[in-house]
Amino acid sequence: MRASVLAAVVLAVGCGAPQAEPDNRPRMKQVAAAWEGSAALKQWREGFHPLDRQQWKPPEGFHSEQDQDAYAAQSFVLRTELPATPPPATAIRWPDGSGSGDGGGTTLTLSLQTAAETYRELDRGPDGEPALAVTDVRFGEIAVRTSRGPARVPAWLFTVDGYETPLARIAVAPQELPKAPVEPLDTFGEGTAPLLSYTATPDAADLTVRAGHGSCDGGVAVDVLEGADTVVLAGRIVADAEPGTSCDAAMRVETVLVTLARPLGARLVIDAATGEPLG
């Protein structure tokens, strides 16, 4: 979600007067009609477009606040030689039943970045600051959520001194995102709740949706409109908070379970407010 759009929605769910529940159906139908059968949908379903941010989360946690700050600042120091040869031609692989949506697996081979190119994107912190030391680099693959379902993707794996779990970065050269066939809402009505992300598996009908709301309301509901190739979601505030609730300007995050009429499969999940795929 673009920052300006998210900010507008956050203002709509902030503390204040009671919010009216919006009727999301007209907007959801507009978004679904724009996406179904569109060139943008074809691009999203035939290209490689990751839905997750590349975040490193060591299972044991960061060893110190200094390490966590160095990671946030993208501050690294290289204490090994980067592989000089280009990575081997390796395809992105979607398992059977996902990716193509036709019951069979599918692959896609794209240009790959070298270890040096990937490391330059990783290490962007200022020199002289506390840094995490990279002690080894190898080529491998990782599991990634994409607009076509979960995939195994070529990646560079950076060993960080003191940590068992390597820091992985996708080795595929970035792809240009298709332009959404519908514009985002210019204004957001009272009672609108911003959608932040979702998790799901293609063979399941349940989606776990993260949505935001203010501290002076009673929570969030997520409306659903299912199509042949899309699932459009819209968030709304469901009720006012209990009397006496402590109120501030912070956005609260709530997890909402959404059950579809059939498994998600290769359908694209779209945010009705932004008109764009939801990560």
Side-chain angles (χ1 to χ4, degrees):
M1 182 184 290
R2 287 174 288 188
S4 59
V5 174
L6 177 58
V9 184
V10 171
L11 290 175
V13 300
C15 297
Q19 306 292 330
E21 290 189 16
D23 181 1
N24 290 319
R25 289 170 297 180
R27 172 63 179 179
M28 295 169 74
K29 290 179 180 178
Q30 177 193 21
V31 171
W35 273 97
E36 289 283 344
S38 68
L41 180 65
K42 179 179 172 65
Q43 287 179 271
W44 274 96
R45 295 191 64 180
E46 294 183 356
F48 170 62
H49 303 293
L51 297 179
D52 296 321
R53 294 182 62 192
Q54 297 191 79
Q55 291 288 347
W56 183 50
K57 296 180 179 179
E60 70 273 27
F62 286 99
H63 295 172
S64 67
E65 187 174 331
Q66 181 175 328
D67 280 2
Q68 186 169 356
D69 290 344
Y71 174 71
Q74 293 186 270
S75 182
F76 293 85
V77 59
L78 190 61
R79 293 183 180 167
T80 187
E81 294 292 327
L82 292 170
T85 57
T90 306
I92 301 164
R93 295 181 290 110
W94 285 269
D96 290 350
S98 63
S100 63
D102 59 5
T106 188
T107 63
L108 179 64
T109 301
L110 297 171
S111 299
L112 300 182
Q113 292 182 317
T114 65
E117 290 171 327
T118 306
Y119 182 76
R120 281 197 295 270
E121 294 182 355
L122 177 68
D123 180 19
R124 294 184 173 181
D127 294 336
E129 295 293 325
L132 292 167
V134 173
T135 58
D136 187 48
V137 184
R138 61 185 175 86
F139 186 72
E141 65 175 17
I142 56 174
V144 174
R145 278 197 320 139
T146 78
S147 57
R148 300 164 64 166
R152 300 294 300 182
V153 179
W156 287 106
L157 308 176
F158 299 90
T159 299
V160 178
D161 188 31
Y163 292 88
E164 293 185 5
T165 303
L167 190 162
R169 285 295 181 266
I170 294 171
V172 180
Q175 307 295 297
E176 183 177 355
L177 292 178
K179 178 176 172 55
V182 61
E183 293 295 321
L185 291 176
D186 291 331
T187 58
F188 298 87
E190 290 187 349
T192 300
L195 304 181
L196 307 177
S197 64
Y198 81 94
T199 56
T201 54
D203 57 352
D206 289 337
L207 275 64
T208 302
V209 182
R210 294 176 67 249
H213 65 97
S215 59
C216 288
D217 56 55
V220 175
V222 177
D223 297 325
V224 183
L225 178 61
E226 296 187 53
D229 295 309
T230 62
V231 173
V232 180
L233 304 179
R236 56 182 168 84
I237 304 302
V238 296
D240 300 329
E242 294 294 328
T245 300
S246 178
C247 203
D248 56 39
M251 183 177 72
R252 310 298 182 188
V253 177
E254 184 171 334
T255 299
V256 181
L257 181 64
V258 174
T259 300
L260 305 178
R262 61 186 175 90
L264 177 61
R267 290 183 291 175
L268 190 62
V269 178
I270 301 169
D271 181 353
T274 67
E276 297 179 350
L278 183 66

PDB file of all heavy atoms in Angstrom, residues 189-220:
ATOM      1  N   GLY A 189     -14.140   7.311   3.385  1.00  0.00           N
ATOM      2  CA  GLY A 189     -15.275   7.648   4.218  1.00  0.00           C
ATOM      3  C   GLY A 189     -15.079   7.256   5.663  1.00  0.00           C
ATOM      4  O   GLY A 189     -14.226   6.439   6.003  1.00  0.00           O
ATOM      5  N   GLU A 190     -15.888   7.850   6.517  1.00  0.00           N
ATOM      6  CA  GLU A 190     -15.851   7.488   7.931  1.00  0.00           C
ATOM      7  C   GLU A 190     -16.170   6.005   8.085  1.00  0.00           C
ATOM      8  O   GLU A 190     -17.031   5.459   7.406  1.00  0.00           O
ATOM      9  CB  GLU A 190     -16.858   8.323   8.716  1.00  0.00           C
ATOM     10  CG  GLU A 190     -16.485   9.786   8.848  1.00  0.00           C
ATOM     11  CD  GLU A 190     -17.436  10.528   9.775  1.00  0.00           C
ATOM     12  OE1 GLU A 190     -18.474   9.936  10.131  1.00  0.00           O
ATOM     13  OE2 GLU A 190     -17.128  11.666  10.139  1.00  0.00           O
ATOM     14  N   GLY A 191     -15.451   5.378   8.988  1.00  0.00           N
ATOM     15  CA  GLY A 191     -15.682   3.964   9.223  1.00  0.00           C
ATOM     16  C   GLY A 191     -14.829   3.050   8.370  1.00  0.00           C
ATOM     17  O   GLY A 191     -14.912   1.832   8.496  1.00  0.00           O
ATOM     18  N   THR A 192     -14.002   3.610   7.481  1.00  0.00           N
ATOM     19  CA  THR A 192     -13.120   2.784   6.659  1.00  0.00           C
ATOM     20  C   THR A 192     -11.932   2.301   7.489  1.00  0.00           C
ATOM     21  O   THR A 192     -11.341   3.063   8.234  1.00  0.00           O
ATOM     22  CB  THR A 192     -12.601   3.574   5.449  1.00  0.00           C
ATOM     23  OG1 THR A 192     -13.712   3.989   4.651  1.00  0.00           O
ATOM     24  CG2 THR A 192     -11.665   2.728   4.602  1.00  0.00           C
ATOM     25  N   ALA A 193     -11.580   1.039   7.334  1.00  0.00           N
ATOM     26  CA  ALA A 193     -10.433   0.468   8.038  1.00  0.00           C
ATOM     27  C   ALA A 193      -9.373   0.072   7.017  1.00  0.00           C
ATOM     28  O   ALA A 193      -9.686  -0.619   6.042  1.00  0.00           O
ATOM     29  CB  ALA A 193     -10.857  -0.756   8.849  1.00  0.00           C
ATOM     30  N   PRO A 194      -8.119   0.502   7.190  1.00  0.00           N
ATOM     31  CA  PRO A 194      -7.070   0.150   6.227  1.00  0.00           C
ATOM     32  C   PRO A 194      -6.660  -1.311   6.346  1.00  0.00           C
ATOM     33  O   PRO A 194      -6.508  -1.839   7.442  1.00  0.00           O
ATOM     34  CB  PRO A 194      -5.918   1.075   6.614  1.00  0.00           C
ATOM     35  CG  PRO A 194      -6.117   1.339   8.075  1.00  0.00           C
ATOM     36  CD  PRO A 194      -7.610   1.360   8.277  1.00  0.00           C
ATOM     37  N   LEU A 195      -6.485  -1.961   5.203  1.00  0.00           N
ATOM     38  CA  LEU A 195      -5.975  -3.327   5.167  1.00  0.00           C
ATOM     39  C   LEU A 195      -4.464  -3.279   5.005  1.00  0.00           C
ATOM     40  O   LEU A 195      -3.947  -2.556   4.150  1.00  0.00           O
ATOM     41  CB  LEU A 195      -6.624  -4.098   4.015  1.00  0.00           C
ATOM     42  CG  LEU A 195      -8.149  -4.149   4.024  1.00  0.00           C
ATOM     43  CD1 LEU A 195      -8.660  -4.967   2.844  1.00  0.00           C
ATOM     44  CD2 LEU A 195      -8.679  -4.721   5.334  1.00  0.00           C
ATOM     45  N   LEU A 196      -3.742  -4.042   5.821  1.00  0.00           N
ATOM     46  CA  LEU A 196      -2.288  -3.981   5.847  1.00  0.00           C
ATOM     47  C   LEU A 196      -1.631  -5.150   5.134  1.00  0.00           C
ATOM     48  O   LEU A 196      -0.645  -4.976   4.415  1.00  0.00           O
ATOM     49  CB  LEU A 196      -1.812  -3.912   7.299  1.00  0.00           C
ATOM     50  CG  LEU A 196      -2.444  -2.801   8.151  1.00  0.00           C
ATOM     51  CD1 LEU A 196      -1.958  -2.883   9.583  1.00  0.00           C
ATOM     52  CD2 LEU A 196      -2.163  -1.433   7.554  1.00  0.00           C
ATOM     53  N   SER A 197      -2.156  -6.350   5.319  1.00  0.00           N
ATOM     54  CA  SER A 197      -1.571  -7.532   4.694  1.00  0.00           C
ATOM     55  C   SER A 197      -2.515  -8.712   4.907  1.00  0.00           C
ATOM     56  O   SER A 197      -3.499  -8.620   5.647  1.00  0.00           O
ATOM     57  CB  SER A 197      -0.196  -7.850   5.300  1.00  0.00           C
ATOM     58  OG  SER A 197      -0.328  -8.193   6.677  1.00  0.00           O
ATOM     59  N   TYR A 198      -2.176  -9.825   4.241  1.00  0.00           N
ATOM     60  CA  TYR A 198      -2.932 -11.057   4.483  1.00  0.00           C
ATOM     61  C   TYR A 198      -1.985 -12.244   4.342  1.00  0.00           C
ATOM     62  O   TYR A 198      -0.931 -12.166   3.703  1.00  0.00           O
ATOM     63  CB  TYR A 198      -4.100 -11.204   3.494  1.00  0.00           C
ATOM     64  CG  TYR A 198      -3.700 -11.753   2.148  1.00  0.00           C
ATOM     65  CD1 TYR A 198      -3.790 -13.112   1.867  1.00  0.00           C
ATOM     66  CD2 TYR A 198      -3.195 -10.913   1.154  1.00  0.00           C
ATOM     67  CE1 TYR A 198      -3.398 -13.620   0.638  1.00  0.00           C
ATOM     68  CE2 TYR A 198      -2.805 -11.416  -0.071  1.00  0.00           C
ATOM     69  CZ  TYR A 198      -2.907 -12.768  -0.323  1.00  0.00           C
ATOM     70  OH  TYR A 198      -2.508 -13.273  -1.537  1.00  0.00           O
ATOM     71  N   THR A 199      -2.376 -13.343   4.929  1.00  0.00           N
ATOM     72  CA  THR A 199      -1.677 -14.609   4.737  1.00  0.00           C
ATOM     73  C   THR A 199      -2.706 -15.674   4.400  1.00  0.00           C
ATOM     74  O   THR A 199      -3.846 -15.632   4.888  1.00  0.00           O
ATOM     75  CB  THR A 199      -0.886 -15.031   5.994  1.00  0.00           C
ATOM     76  OG1 THR A 199      -1.786 -15.086   7.128  1.00  0.00           O
ATOM     77  CG2 THR A 199       0.230 -14.043   6.290  1.00  0.00           C
ATOM     78  N   ALA A 200      -2.299 -16.619   3.559  1.00  0.00           N
ATOM     79  CA  ALA A 200      -3.204 -17.687   3.143  1.00  0.00           C
ATOM     80  C   ALA A 200      -2.402 -18.757   2.434  1.00  0.00           C
ATOM     81  O   ALA A 200      -1.248 -18.537   2.046  1.00  0.00           O
ATOM     82  CB  ALA A 200      -4.295 -17.154   2.214  1.00  0.00           C
ATOM     83  N   THR A 201      -3.011 -19.904   2.242  1.00  0.00           N
ATOM     84  CA  THR A 201      -2.443 -20.937   1.390  1.00  0.00           C
ATOM     85  C   THR A 201      -3.436 -21.204   0.267  1.00  0.00           C
ATOM     86  O   THR A 201      -4.658 -21.146   0.486  1.00  0.00           O
ATOM     87  CB  THR A 201      -2.179 -22.232   2.176  1.00  0.00           C
ATOM     88  OG1 THR A 201      -3.392 -22.632   2.841  1.00  0.00           O
ATOM     89  CG2 THR A 201      -1.092 -22.026   3.217  1.00  0.00           C
ATOM     90  N   PRO A 202      -2.947 -21.463  -0.943  1.00  0.00           N
ATOM     91  CA  PRO A 202      -3.855 -21.584  -2.093  1.00  0.00           C
ATOM     92  C   PRO A 202      -4.921 -22.650  -1.952  1.00  0.00           C
ATOM     93  O   PRO A 202      -6.010 -22.513  -2.496  1.00  0.00           O
ATOM     94  CB  PRO A 202      -2.897 -21.905  -3.255  1.00  0.00           C
ATOM     95  CG  PRO A 202      -1.580 -21.377  -2.827  1.00  0.00           C
ATOM     96  CD  PRO A 202      -1.535 -21.558  -1.333  1.00  0.00           C
ATOM     97  N   ASP A 203      -4.624 -23.739  -1.218  1.00  0.00           N
ATOM     98  CA  ASP A 203      -5.584 -24.835  -1.123  1.00  0.00           C
ATOM     99  C   ASP A 203      -6.554 -24.669   0.047  1.00  0.00           C
ATOM    100  O   ASP A 203      -7.354 -25.557   0.321  1.00  0.00           O
ATOM    101  CB  ASP A 203      -4.857 -26.173  -1.001  1.00  0.00           C
ATOM    102  CG  ASP A 203      -3.896 -26.225   0.185  1.00  0.00           C
ATOM    103  OD1 ASP A 203      -3.692 -25.168   0.818  1.00  0.00           O
ATOM    104  OD2 ASP A 203      -3.370 -27.314   0.473  1.00  0.00           O
ATOM    105  N   ALA A 204      -6.485 -23.522   0.740  1.00  0.00           N
ATOM    106  CA  ALA A 204      -7.376 -23.265   1.869  1.00  0.00           C
ATOM    107  C   ALA A 204      -8.331 -22.122   1.540  1.00  0.00           C
ATOM    108  O   ALA A 204      -8.051 -21.275   0.690  1.00  0.00           O
ATOM    109  CB  ALA A 204      -6.575 -22.932   3.121  1.00  0.00           C
ATOM    110  N   ALA A 205      -9.468 -22.111   2.227  1.00  0.00           N
ATOM    111  CA  ALA A 205     -10.458 -21.059   2.007  1.00  0.00           C
ATOM    112  C   ALA A 205     -10.352 -19.946   3.042  1.00  0.00           C
ATOM    113  O   ALA A 205     -11.111 -18.977   2.975  1.00  0.00           O
ATOM    114  CB  ALA A 205     -11.868 -21.658   2.031  1.00  0.00           C
ATOM    115  N   ASP A 206      -9.432 -20.065   3.996  1.00  0.00           N
ATOM    116  CA  ASP A 206      -9.297 -19.064   5.053  1.00  0.00           C
ATOM    117  C   ASP A 206      -8.168 -18.085   4.733  1.00  0.00           C
ATOM    118  O   ASP A 206      -7.073 -18.488   4.351  1.00  0.00           O
ATOM    119  CB  ASP A 206      -9.019 -19.729   6.401  1.00  0.00           C
ATOM    120  CG  ASP A 206     -10.223 -20.468   6.944  1.00  0.00           C
ATOM    121  OD1 ASP A 206     -11.358 -20.136   6.541  1.00  0.00           O
ATOM    122  OD2 ASP A 206     -10.044 -21.384   7.764  1.00  0.00           O
ATOM    123  N   LEU A 207      -8.459 -16.799   4.907  1.00  0.00           N
ATOM    124  CA  LEU A 207      -7.462 -15.747   4.811  1.00  0.00           C
ATOM    125  C   LEU A 207      -7.335 -15.083   6.172  1.00  0.00           C
ATOM    126  O   LEU A 207      -8.348 -14.802   6.827  1.00  0.00           O
ATOM    127  CB  LEU A 207      -7.869 -14.675   3.793  1.00  0.00           C
ATOM    128  CG  LEU A 207      -7.540 -14.892   2.314  1.00  0.00           C
ATOM    129  CD1 LEU A 207      -8.276 -16.097   1.771  1.00  0.00           C
ATOM    130  CD2 LEU A 207      -7.911 -13.644   1.522  1.00  0.00           C
ATOM    131  N   THR A 208      -6.116 -14.839   6.622  1.00  0.00           N
ATOM    132  CA  THR A 208      -5.874 -14.086   7.845  1.00  0.00           C
ATOM    133  C   THR A 208      -5.457 -12.683   7.438  1.00  0.00           C
ATOM    134  O   THR A 208      -4.395 -12.498   6.853  1.00  0.00           O
ATOM    135  CB  THR A 208      -4.784 -14.746   8.701  1.00  0.00           C
ATOM    136  OG1 THR A 208      -5.183 -16.091   9.004  1.00  0.00           O
ATOM    137  CG2 THR A 208      -4.585 -13.982  10.000  1.00  0.00           C
ATOM    138  N   VAL A 209      -6.315 -11.708   7.727  1.00  0.00           N
ATOM    139  CA  VAL A 209      -6.125 -10.338   7.248  1.00  0.00           C
ATOM    140  C   VAL A 209      -5.749  -9.431   8.418  1.00  0.00           C
ATOM    141  O   VAL A 209      -6.399  -9.466   9.468  1.00  0.00           O
ATOM    142  CB  VAL A 209      -7.409  -9.808   6.573  1.00  0.00           C
ATOM    143  CG1 VAL A 209      -7.192  -8.393   6.039  1.00  0.00           C
ATOM    144  CG2 VAL A 209      -7.855 -10.746   5.459  1.00  0.00           C
ATOM    145  N   ARG A 210      -4.693  -8.639   8.247  1.00  0.00           N
ATOM    146  CA  ARG A 210      -4.312  -7.634   9.238  1.00  0.00           C
ATOM    147  C   ARG A 210      -4.895  -6.295   8.805  1.00  0.00           C
ATOM    148  O   ARG A 210      -4.681  -5.841   7.682  1.00  0.00           O
ATOM    149  CB  ARG A 210      -2.798  -7.542   9.371  1.00  0.00           C
ATOM    150  CG  ARG A 210      -2.143  -8.774   9.936  1.00  0.00           C
ATOM    151  CD  ARG A 210      -0.629  -8.662   9.964  1.00  0.00           C
ATOM    152  NE  ARG A 210      -0.172  -7.633  10.910  1.00  0.00           N
ATOM    153  CZ  ARG A 210       0.391  -6.493  10.563  1.00  0.00           C
ATOM    154  NH1 ARG A 210       0.585  -6.183   9.277  1.00  0.00           N
ATOM    155  NH2 ARG A 210       0.801  -5.629  11.477  1.00  0.00           N
ATOM    156  N   ALA A 211      -5.659  -5.672   9.720  1.00  0.00           N
ATOM    157  CA  ALA A 211      -6.325  -4.405   9.416  1.00  0.00           C
ATOM    158  C   ALA A 211      -6.106  -3.418  10.550  1.00  0.00           C
ATOM    159  O   ALA A 211      -5.887  -3.808  11.700  1.00  0.00           O
ATOM    160  CB  ALA A 211      -7.816  -4.630   9.186  1.00  0.00           C
ATOM    161  N   GLY A 212      -6.169  -2.142  10.231  1.00  0.00           N
ATOM    162  CA  GLY A 212      -5.964  -1.102  11.232  1.00  0.00           C
ATOM    163  C   GLY A 212      -7.261  -0.442  11.645  1.00  0.00           C
ATOM    164  O   GLY A 212      -8.226  -0.399  10.893  1.00  0.00           O
ATOM    165  N   HIS A 213      -7.263   0.078  12.881  1.00  0.00           N
ATOM    166  CA  HIS A 213      -8.419   0.847  13.366  1.00  0.00           C
ATOM    167  C   HIS A 213      -7.960   1.753  14.493  1.00  0.00           C
ATOM    168  O   HIS A 213      -6.846   1.616  15.012  1.00  0.00           O
ATOM    169  CB  HIS A 213      -9.548  -0.082  13.818  1.00  0.00           C
ATOM    170  CG  HIS A 213      -9.215  -0.933  15.001  1.00  0.00           C
ATOM    171  ND1 HIS A 213      -9.565  -0.587  16.291  1.00  0.00           N
ATOM    172  CD2 HIS A 213      -8.546  -2.113  15.106  1.00  0.00           C
ATOM    173  CE1 HIS A 213      -9.135  -1.522  17.126  1.00  0.00           C
ATOM    174  NE2 HIS A 213      -8.511  -2.466  16.430  1.00  0.00           N
ATOM    175  N   GLY A 214      -8.801   2.684  14.885  1.00  0.00           N
ATOM    176  CA  GLY A 214      -8.470   3.604  15.961  1.00  0.00           C
ATOM    177  C   GLY A 214      -8.722   3.000  17.327  1.00  0.00           C
ATOM    178  O   GLY A 214      -9.365   1.956  17.459  1.00  0.00           O
ATOM    179  N   SER A 215      -8.213   3.665  18.360  1.00  0.00           N
ATOM    180  CA  SER A 215      -8.372   3.138  19.713  1.00  0.00           C
ATOM    181  C   SER A 215      -9.714   3.510  20.327  1.00  0.00           C
ATOM    182  O   SER A 215     -10.012   3.104  21.441  1.00  0.00           O
ATOM    183  CB  SER A 215      -7.230   3.645  20.603  1.00  0.00           C
ATOM    184  OG  SER A 215      -7.223   5.061  20.646  1.00  0.00           O
ATOM    185  N   CYS A 216     -10.527   4.293  19.620  1.00  0.00           N
ATOM    186  CA  CYS A 216     -11.842   4.676  20.135  1.00  0.00           C
ATOM    187  C   CYS A 216     -12.965   3.980  19.386  1.00  0.00           C
ATOM    188  O   CYS A 216     -14.070   4.498  19.285  1.00  0.00           O
ATOM    189  CB  CYS A 216     -12.026   6.190  20.065  1.00  0.00           C
ATOM    190  SG  CYS A 216     -11.041   7.074  21.272  1.00  0.00           S
ATOM    191  N   ASP A 217     -12.678   2.831  18.800  1.00  0.00           N
ATOM    192  CA  ASP A 217     -13.746   2.066  18.161  1.00  0.00           C
ATOM    193  C   ASP A 217     -13.652   0.618  18.616  1.00  0.00           C
ATOM    194  O   ASP A 217     -12.747   0.241  19.359  1.00  0.00           O
ATOM    195  CB  ASP A 217     -13.673   2.178  16.627  1.00  0.00           C
ATOM    196  CG  ASP A 217     -12.319   1.736  16.076  1.00  0.00           C
ATOM    197  OD1 ASP A 217     -11.905   0.600  16.382  1.00  0.00           O
ATOM    198  OD2 ASP A 217     -11.690   2.519  15.350  1.00  0.00           O
ATOM    199  N   GLY A 218     -14.594  -0.188  18.167  1.00  0.00           N
ATOM    200  CA  GLY A 218     -14.704  -1.540  18.700  1.00  0.00           C
ATOM    201  C   GLY A 218     -14.108  -2.630  17.854  1.00  0.00           C
ATOM    202  O   GLY A 218     -14.312  -3.802  18.141  1.00  0.00           O
ATOM    203  N   GLY A 219     -13.389  -2.297  16.790  1.00  0.00           N
ATOM    204  CA  GLY A 219     -12.763  -3.339  15.993  1.00  0.00           C
ATOM    205  C   GLY A 219     -13.054  -3.216  14.515  1.00  0.00           C
ATOM    206  O   GLY A 219     -13.571  -2.202  14.038  1.00  0.00           O
ATOM    207  N   VAL A 220     -12.733  -4.276  13.781  1.00  0.00           N
ATOM    208  CA  VAL A 220     -12.755  -4.262  12.326  1.00  0.00           C
ATOM    209  C   VAL A 220     -13.499  -5.481  11.789  1.00  0.00           C
ATOM    210  O   VAL A 220     -13.430  -6.568  12.359  1.00  0.00           O
ATOM    211  CB  VAL A 220     -11.308  -4.273  11.775  1.00  0.00           C
ATOM    212  CG1 VAL A 220     -11.288  -4.377  10.257  1.00  0.00           C
ATOM    213  CG2 VAL A 220     -10.548  -3.038  12.216  1.00  0.00           C
TER     214      VAL A 220
END
